[in-house]
Amino acid sequence: MKATPIQEHTSPLNAQQAQQLTALIETLTPMQVTWISGYLSGINASAATGEVAAPAQAAAPAAQSEASEPLTILYGSQTGNAEDIAETLRERAEAAGLNATAHDMLDYKPKDLKKEKNVIVCVSTHGEGDPPDNAEELHAFIYGKKAPKLDGMKFSVLAFGDTSYEHFCQTGKDFDAQLEKLGGKRLTDRVDLDVDFDEAAEAWIEAVIDTYKDELGGGDQPHPTVTAMPSAGGAAAPAAEAYSRKNPYEAEVLENIVLNGRGSDKEVHHIEMDTEESGLVWEPGDSLGIIPENDPSVVEELIAALGLSPEEKVTGIDGEVTLQHALTHQYEITTLTRPLIEKYAVQAQNEALDKLLSEDQREALADYMHGRFIIDVVEDYPIQGITGQDFVRLLRKLPPRLYSIASSHAANPDEIHLTVAAVRYESQGRARHGVASIQLADRSEDVKLPIYIDHNKNFKLPENDEAPIIMVGPGTGVAPFRAFLEEREEREASGDNWLFFGAQHFLTDFYYQTDWLRWRKDGLLTRMDVAFSRDQEEKVYVQDKIRAAGKELFDWIERGATVYVCGDANAMAHDVHEALLELIGEHAGLDAEGAAGYLKNLQKEKRYQRDVY
């Protein structure tokens, strides 16, 4: 990390000291660098008189103008990215002399919005255009009848999303449009970020701070600049945090075991990676980011479809490389998105493709995209004379894949365990498969995989080890709960633990059965309810088991249990949510609105947490 220069010390540093100081600076947040800079500057200023400035005098950050109006940063984040950027923005705004605060939308009182004069919204989009869990209430409020007039408010919006989804950054677009409709004045244009957002987020932070400094009359202090997005939270990042999405750790795969029995329709792998030399630290609920590479056979097929040479030179992400290298290591070459097709159509000049992109053909385009990859567009709408450079300009950077960590650092400090479903299927007459899942399943033995920790602040064990927990994790959604129980075992936590697990068949798909049975025998796992959907004529799912255990489950909640849900967002998470609303309504004697309020309060108390995808 680079920040405002540290003032020269009165005594010159030797080479070793200079190296040590540089290493220290790399671990600091901008606010901490500002503190040290002021402190050492104070030492220099008093050197001539022999007096040393008191730390308290030097510790003040860039002076905030007394006339500066408050700047409120509101964030809504499912996995933590929007929160991290919001906290970084707050730190940098304060260092620039602005009176900034950051608030989780879940903890923010919607009625206070009418009091705000300067608001920045950092919000992600979840699923098919939905707000993340902690943004639901504020999102509903600004669209409801009680939404206030916001004349006099100045606002800016930073939206997080994924262009592989149709409703890209929809929640950010919602906030941006509705705040303006309610009378707010847009101070900067909304910025929409795709999954590879670091550089764009950094540029936005620089621009928005400059704009609000001019608007609010902030201090004259220049704001620090950084070459990498700093760790949020204010505390100095540990040395291991040097490993990140931009600088991943190269990990060796130690074990690759198929968890399914013979005859299963599923293929789920238990993966163990060596992290002994990494210094990486994680908590139960965190995810592992993997920087994958594309399957060489898929790359070869795509290059052949383009009619190009794999050795053709192109300017890739980090300089000149071969087309083969760029398509293997740098670019997304499978997932088909509307933005990519739109860019491709400009070069294709194909009437049929242009028609498919027309507004009245959105449903037809969605049907075409379903089950197809980029190579299908290349074959269906070929571009004569396209070059490798022309093609890579159409592509987005190969994004990392996130997997819930299935092991506790306290129990396994030198290893990270994952539970990975291998994605294989046929569509449109061609065999298809996932990028990272198949690399892990088939091609991970003799290579080291670039990894980093993706911290999830919204999916964490309770601090109180005596508190009971309820875990709902069908399929690979059970992964973080294996980490939860390992952690509670290591901590000798006395709180009760209840697991709901679901899969297709008991004999072939009971993942980690030995672990659960051991913990059940030892008393760590207080209760386990299982739903094997295809072992009987009528399908049974985890939500059915939740309804069946309604009275006992409600009693656990009433005595302080936290409910965790992990897995598929499209069907399972919704069905589990509805089952919870039903049992709360029945056993608390509440109507539908009251049950929804009860569950929302659990969410605000961090006692209803979801990691769904």
Side-chain angles (χ1 to χ4, degrees):
M1 179 188 301
K2 292 182 180 178
T4 49
I6 298 294
Q7 301 294 327
E8 291 184 2
H9 195 278
T10 52
S11 300
L13 302 177
N14 60 35
Q16 182 180 5
Q17 290 171 325
Q19 185 177 12
Q20 291 173 338
L21 181 59
T22 300
L24 172 63
I25 294 171
E26 294 292 329
T27 70
L28 302 179
T29 66
M31 287 292 289
Q32 291 165 328
V33 172
T34 302
W35 190 98
I36 294 174
S37 181
Y39 179 64
L40 296 181
S41 180
I43 293 176
N44 285 334
S46 58
T49 63
E51 297 176 356
V52 179
Q57 295 172 329
Q64 295 174 354
S65 168
E66 292 184 2
S68 176
E69 295 179 352
L71 173 61
T72 300
I73 304 165
L74 301 175
Y75 60 83
S77 180
Q78 195 72 29
T79 62
N81 288 331
E83 178 179 357
D84 287 345
I85 298 302
E87 289 292 349
T88 298
L89 173 62
R90 177 192 60 77
E91 291 180 0
R92 302 270 290 281
E94 287 182 345
L98 296 175
N99 180 16
T101 56
H103 305 272
D104 186 328
M105 288 184 182
L106 187 64
D107 300 327
Y108 184 79
K109 295 180 180 179
K111 65 181 181 180
D112 287 345
L113 198 61
K114 65 181 180 182
K115 305 175 186 177
E116 304 288 358
K117 297 298 182 183
N118 308 284
V119 171
I120 298 177
V121 172
C122 299
V123 67
S124 64
T125 295
H126 187 55
E128 296 297 335
D130 299 320
D133 289 350
N134 61 342
E136 286 178 348
E137 184 176 9
L138 186 59
H139 182 270
F141 176 76
I142 63 173
Y143 277 90
K145 294 181 179 180
K146 295 183 179 181
K149 294 293 184 182
L150 299 178
D151 299 333
M153 173 193 283
K154 304 181 187 74
F155 73 90
S156 298
V157 175
L158 181 66
F160 294 76
D162 183 339
T163 51
S164 65
Y165 289 89
E166 180 181 359
H167 303 288
F168 174 61
C169 287
Q170 186 60 50
T171 303
K173 294 174 183 177
D174 290 347
F175 272 95
D176 187 58
Q178 193 64 9
L179 291 179
E180 181 180 47
K181 186 176 180 180
L182 293 173
K185 174 186 175 184
R186 185 182 297 104
L187 202 55
T188 62
D189 289 339
R190 186 190 76 249
V191 171
D192 298 336
L193 301 181
D194 200 358
V195 289
D196 180 40
F197 58 79
D198 288 323
E199 293 181 3
E202 172 62 26
W204 176 82
I205 287 175
E206 293 283 336
V208 81
I209 288 177
D210 285 340
T211 300
Y212 277 87
K213 277 183 65 178
D214 292 342
E215 189 73 21
L216 304 184
D220 296 329
Q221 196 81 3
H223 55 81
T225 58
V226 298
T227 56
M229 297 305 297
S231 172
E241 291 300 316
Y243 294 116
S244 64
R245 178 165 47 187
K246 285 194 169 185
N247 180 37
Y249 175 73
E250 301 285 335
E252 179 184 356
V253 172
L254 301 172
E255 293 281 355
N256 182 349
I257 302 168
V258 176
L259 295 176
N260 304 91
R262 184 175 300 173
S264 175
D265 293 333
K266 303 289 185 178
E267 182 190 338
V268 174
H269 291 247
H270 172 76
I271 306 288
E272 297 183 3
M273 294 186 182
D274 180 11
T275 58
E276 184 176 4
E277 303 297 327
S278 70
L280 291 173
V281 178
W282 62 93
E283 296 180 5
D286 288 341
S287 295
L288 186 72
I290 295 179
I291 313 294
E293 64 178 40
N294 290 305
D295 188 331
S297 66
V298 175
V299 174
E300 181 181 352
E301 188 179 22
L302 179 57
I303 292 175
L306 290 164
L308 300 174
S309 166
E311 299 304 314
E312 179 181 341
K313 297 295 184 181
V314 299
T315 301
I317 300 295
D318 51 5
E320 188 176 81
V321 294
T322 66
L323 178 61
Q324 183 179 42
H325 179 89
L327 298 184
T328 302
H329 300 285
Q330 298 183 349
Y331 293 102
E332 174 74 75
I333 64 169
T334 54
T335 304
L336 200 52
T337 67
R338 184 185 180 97
L340 180 137
I341 296 177
E342 289 173 341
K343 289 189 289 185
Y344 186 89
V346 172
Q347 292 197 36
Q349 296 293 301
N350 185 291
E351 185 176 339
L353 184 57
D354 291 340
K355 182 178 179 181
L356 189 61
L357 286 166
S358 59
E359 192 62 30
D360 62 349
Q361 295 295 307
R362 295 190 75 90
E363 188 173 337
L365 178 62
D367 289 341
Y368 175 80
M369 291 169 57
H370 181 71
R372 286 184 169 89
F373 283 175
I374 291 172
I375 190 172
D376 295 286
V377 177
V378 171
E379 292 180 340
D380 293 344
Y381 305 98
I383 300 174
Q384 297 298 322
I386 190 171
T387 67
Q389 190 64 60
D390 292 336
F391 185 68
V392 298
R393 284 199 189 104
L394 305 176
L395 306 176
R396 70 174 183 173
K397 186 176 178 181
L398 182 62
R401 269 56 171 182
L402 299 180
Y403 292 95
S404 297
I405 297 174
S407 58
S408 157
H409 183 271
N412 302 279
D414 299 333
E415 301 172 5
I416 284 183
H417 300 174
L418 303 179
T419 311
V420 179
V423 178
R424 307 181 200 270
Y425 60 99
E426 284 200 11
S427 176
Q428 305 296 328
R430 176 179 269 121
R432 318 277 179 167
H433 53 70
V435 176
S437 70
I438 300 307
Q439 182 182 5
L440 286 166
D442 296 352
R443 310 191 316 275
S444 62
E445 280 191 19
D446 300 321
V447 298
K448 290 191 174 182
L449 297 173
I451 66 170
Y452 65 96
I453 303 299
D454 189 81
H455 299 289
N456 188 347
K457 300 174 183 177
N458 299 317
F459 201 72
K460 286 287 173 279
L461 279 168
E463 294 182 5
N464 180 7
D465 283 345
E466 297 179 356
I469 63 173
I470 299 165
M471 302 164 283
V472 183
T476 58
V478 81
F481 304 134
R482 183 172 181 267
F484 277 25
L485 290 181
E486 282 191 350
E487 181 78 10
R488 293 204 118 185
E489 183 177 42
E490 287 295 313
R491 283 158 47 171
E492 298 182 350
S494 60
D496 289 336
N497 305 291
W498 186 349
L499 174 65
F500 289 86
F501 172 74
Q504 289 189 350
H505 299 286
F506 169 81
L507 291 177
T508 60
D509 307 316
F510 197 171
Y511 310 145
Y512 302 117
Q513 178 182 6
T514 303
D515 290 336
W516 311 130
L517 294 180
R518 175 176 63 84
W519 284 324
R520 188 77 179 90
K521 180 181 178 182
D522 293 345
L524 178 68
L525 185 54
T526 313
R527 176 168 175 173
M528 183 173 189
D529 286 36
V530 294
F532 295 103
S533 60
R534 288 161 175 76
D535 277 351
Q536 59 283 313
E537 185 174 345
E538 184 178 351
K539 292 181 180 178
V540 177
Y541 299 104
V542 288
Q543 58 267 27
D544 300 312
K545 293 291 183 176
I546 287 172
R547 289 189 177 94
K551 177 61 169 64
E552 297 94 329
L553 197 148
F554 181 72
D555 288 344
W556 276 50
I557 293 173
E558 282 287 278
R559 65 183 178 92
T562 299
V563 180
Y564 300 89
V565 180
C566 182
D568 173 52
N570 294 326
M572 182 279 296
H574 173 268
D575 292 341
V576 167
H577 188 84
E578 291 301 312
L580 290 172
L581 287 173
E582 289 177 23
L583 72 88
I584 289 169
E586 178 182 354
H587 298 290
L590 299 171
D591 59 15
E593 184 178 354
Y598 184 105
L599 200 53
K600 180 61 66 177
N601 285 334
L602 286 184
Q603 194 174 40
K604 286 186 175 182
E605 295 170 2
K606 312 297 184 185
R607 290 178 51 215
Y608 179 39
Q609 301 182 29
R610 305 196 307 169
D611 182 12
V612 295
Y613 39 84

